Amino acid sequence: MAIGTATDPYQPAEGRFEVTRRVLEAARAVPGLHLSITTKSTLVSRDAGLLREISAASDVTVNLSIITIDAALARRLEPRAPRPDLRFTAMRALADAGVAARLFIMPILPRLTDDEKNLRALLLAARDAGAIGAESNVLFLRPGTREIFLDFLAVDFPRLVPEYERLYRGAAYAPAEYVRQTEERVRRLADEVGLSSGAARIARIRRSPRQLSLVW
């Protein structure tokens, strides 16, 4: 059960309407789930106690999406998201509550957030905040998103427009060699700081899930 793959489940309105919280309360009543939540919001820490309760009978992971440690750059890239340090504070709150949390470096932006200094800082901060691991993915630009993103670059980072047009020429994905090098960099840095990365997730004792009945 994946929550937050299409849009963030902790939108500002969640603080008032608690739709996501009610979904989690329903999940608490169904043991044996594999539940993951992906968010940029610090509001997820509000539900740390509830998530701990769910994890008593299900496999629960919260993925905090943080792409840069630089607060000024983050404000330009994600103007409505909480500061990176606040998201790491939320990660620590989850870890302290016994909820498994991971760092999602998604998307990695070529020439903006793909440098070794930024990636190492992110992985170190995640390790220190109690994350069990990290995963990453290089930016891909589908039609529609591509035009909006290039317009953003033209205003905020005009020097990078030719580079992105070259990298994403006629394709939604960056060249395979660039992606490979970036993924290897993340894996190496994660190993160096003592944090698992990519598909090599930390092995945890998993409870045998109860097969849900298909009979009404």
Side-chain angles (χ1 to χ4, degrees), residues 24-46:
L24 295 177
E25 288 170 346
R28 180 175 52 189
V30 185
L33 293 176
H34 291 274
L35 171 65
S36 70
I37 299 172
T38 301
T39 182
K40 294 180 184 291
S41 176
T42 59
L43 186 57
V44 66
S45 61
R46 175 201 67 186

Side-chain angles (χ1 to χ4, degrees), residues 6 26-27 73 75 123 190 204 208:
L73 178 59
R75 183 57 57 201
L123 292 163
R204 291 180 288 150
S208 298

Side-chain angles (χ1 to χ4, degrees), residues 47-61:
D47 295 334
L50 177 55
L51 290 165
R52 181 180 62 244
E53 292 177 23
I54 297 170
S55 66
S58 294
D59 186 62
V60 178
T61 307

Side-chain angles (χ1 to χ4, degrees), residues 189-204:
L189 292 171
D191 289 342
E192 289 178 7
V193 305
L195 198 65
S196 72
S197 66
R201 302 176 184 178
I202 288 180
R204 291 180 288 150

Side-chain angles (χ1 to χ4, degrees), residues 105-110 136-141 168 173-174 178-180 182-183:
I105 314 175
M106 300 182 184
I108 293 178
L109 302 175
S136 64
N137 196 19
V138 174
L139 175 73
F140 60 92
L141 295 173
Y168 293 90
Y173 295 89
Y178 170 81
V179 173
R180 183 189 65 78
T182 304
E183 290 176 346

